[in-house]
Amino acid sequence: MAVERNSEVAPEKHHLTETQDYKAGWSFYLVLAGVVTSLGSSLPVGFNIGVVNTPADLIKQFCNESFVSRYDIALSNTWMNVLWASIVSMFTIGGCTGSIIGSVIADKFGRKKAAILTNVLSIAGATLFLFCRAANSVEMLIIGRLLVGLSGGLTTSIVPMYVAELSPAALTGAMGVVCPMGINFGVLVGQLMGLDFILGGVDDWPYLLSGYALLVIVSLPVLCILPESPKYLFVIQRNEAAAISELSRLRGVSPSALTSELELLRKEARSETSAEHWSMMKVLREPKLRLPLLLSCSMQAGQQTSGITAVFYYSQTIFRQAGLSAQRAQYATIGSGAINVCTAALMLRLLPRAGRRPLLLASVLAASLLLATLAAALLFIDTASWMPYVSMSALLAFVLVYGLGLGPIPFFIASEMFEVAPRPAGMAWGSLANWGGNFLVGMGFPTMRNVIGPYSFLLFSAFTMGLFLFTKFYFPETRGKTPTQVAQLCSRGLRSRPLTTATAKHIL
């Protein structure tokens, strides 16, 4: 009998210990979610940004030959430029469209199914790329660019939100880096695949454009077995049983050990915002959400108006003027892309320790100063033999500091400033600002380059300094705070004083 009593008491003691000692951290499904969404959803976005420039002349030749054979029309240089601009811009148009509909899809079908949709669209686009030359169809190429752009817009508005909602509070920053790290890695992979001895040959461009699909095909089945966001199930769907089941599977512990996380979910479910449906227009009109929305959109747009794409465009010229051969200049450009990937990986460790605000402010300020330095070095590049090395150093330093704050933080910061219900719409606005900034810089930079040359980077520097001043006055530290607390700090719009000690103490 004594043995039986001990066997009954032991599980109870174990239960108490598990409940009291459990602290959510890295788990199998959380790590799997980070890897799978990075490779299957985020990587294709960066790949399609970085890959199209290498085979540009080959694709233009294909387009001209297709028009001659099908319509008996030879395209002039003017019309070829128009067609090429259309092919390139379709990606951005799709990105803007995906950003707009992302909030609706995320709420209607759930975060996981929305992420699955991004993969399906990505595979469809790759299929069109692979067979467009065999079908002699420029239209398939254009539609493919539209589909991968649509997938990209959905990815940037949904994936950071999904992985952030899967994460415990202490790891939201680290998991928030997953999406931008995947995008940066995709750009690097696209540059590498475009090398002559890999897929940069004359007949290889359809395989080059569609090569990313192999990773997506491998990732898609794994994505299907990941848990749905417990916050979505609990707060939006009001399905407490399913939320607890998925949270238990995600953390790898029994529901009895999840008391503190479930209490936080219940608090979010009881908040004022959780009972309402939040469209993008409703979020835009809500005064209490105005400052979080402005912060999120300004950071996302600020990524593009920092001129990061233009810097990479100029990199080949700068490296050549520094004395590198054409091939070595290409390798140096790839090296700068590798810096971008490495800094994103470094942020996995920095963000939980340093916080969002100091990293972002230091990154934005340094980026602004380095852009001004780059402009000055380019203006006087022929005046001294060492000046090309100044410009090269400024370029590499800019890529480094960009990756330590301005690159990754804007992608996930909306998930820490918006509560669960308005979060999809807030993320969608931020994603739209990013793609809109991408479109404006992409369309405007060639003209700026022709008209004002290196002074373009002074303009980018001014935009970036403006972002620094705005975030310095209004961006609160979100590390260690719940979205509800951050929302209260910013609830008075531009009249908010989210940085004052008294206000913070009152809220906390």
Side-chain angles (χ1 to χ4, degrees), residues 44 70 83 124 196 245 258 285 321 343 356 369 382 451 467 476:
R70 294 174 61 197
L83 177 60
D196 291 342
S245 175
L258 300 171
R285 292 194 296 262
Q321 288 178 312
T343 50
R356 286 55 160 161
L369 297 176
D382 296 322
V451 175
L467 175 63

Side-chain angles (χ1 to χ4, degrees), residues 13-30:
K13 287 183 178 179
H14 175 73
H15 165 74
L16 290 172
T17 302
E18 181 185 39
T19 304
Q20 292 169 354
D21 296 344
Y22 173 71
K23 183 177 181 181
W26 294 107
S27 66
F28 171 76
Y29 278 113
L30 186 61

Side-chain angles (χ1 to χ4, degrees), residues 177-436:
V177 179
V178 164
C179 183
M181 185 165 62
I183 292 174
N184 292 341
F185 187 54
V187 172
L188 179 61
V189 171
Q191 292 171 334
L192 288 170
M193 296 285 282
L195 292 172
D196 291 342
F197 60 89
I198 302 181
L199 286 176
V202 174
D203 298 321
D204 295 334
W205 65 264
Y207 309 108
L208 174 61
L209 294 186
S210 58
Y212 68 88
L214 293 175
L215 282 174
V216 184
I217 291 169
V218 172
S219 300
L220 183 56
V222 184
L223 180 58
C224 293
I225 67 171
L226 290 177
E228 177 56 274
S229 162
K231 290 186 178 182
Y232 165 76
L233 293 171
F234 201 109
V235 178
I236 305 299
Q237 292 294 304
R238 303 288 175 172
N239 190 339
E240 184 170 339
I244 293 174
S245 175
E246 291 289 74
L247 186 60
S248 175
R249 186 162 74 100
L250 177 63
R251 299 289 182 256
V253 297
S254 65
S256 61
L258 300 171
T259 306
S260 58
E261 280 201 79
L262 291 175
E263 183 57 33
L264 287 175
L265 286 176
R266 291 188 178 100
K267 285 182 179 179
E268 290 204 54
R270 290 194 298 266
S271 69
E272 295 179 7
T273 61
S274 65
E276 304 178 54
H277 171 72
W278 291 88
S279 65
M280 289 181 70
M281 290 307 298
K282 185 172 182 178
V283 167
L284 185 64
R285 292 194 296 262
E286 175 55 55
K288 291 183 179 180
L289 299 180
R290 190 160 295 151
L291 183 55
L293 186 62
L294 285 172
L295 285 166
S296 177
C297 289
S298 63
M299 290 181 201
Q300 289 267 36
Q303 280 188 339
Q304 302 304 322
T305 55
S306 71
I308 184 66
T309 305
V311 167
F312 274 110
Y313 179 89
Y314 253 93
S315 62
Q316 291 266 21
T317 302
I318 293 170
F319 292 137
R320 290 297 302 274
Q321 288 178 312
L324 300 181
S325 66
Q327 188 179 46
R328 289 182 177 178
Q330 186 179 15
Y331 290 151
T333 300
I334 292 172
S336 62
I339 291 174
N340 222 4
V341 174
C342 293
T343 50
L346 181 62
M347 290 291 281
L348 288 170
R349 297 188 64 84
L350 280 179
L351 270 170
R353 293 165 173 76
R356 286 55 160 161
R357 178 178 164 84
L359 283 173
L360 181 69
L361 290 178
S363 171
V364 174
L365 178 60
S368 177
L369 297 176
L370 286 166
L371 284 167
T373 304
L374 180 60
L378 289 173
L379 279 170
F380 299 104
I381 199 164
D382 296 322
T383 60
S385 60
W386 47 266
M387 194 60 74
Y389 296 100
V390 174
S391 60
M392 186 166 61
S393 300
L395 184 149
L396 293 174
F398 170 78
V399 172
L400 176 65
V401 300
Y402 173 89
L404 291 174
L406 182 54
I409 291 176
F411 275 105
F412 70 85
I413 200 63
S415 67
E416 298 187 343
M417 291 193 293
F418 289 93
E419 296 178 89
V420 176
R423 185 176 295 156
M427 297 286 286
W429 274 115
S431 179
L432 182 60
N434 190 294
W435 286 94

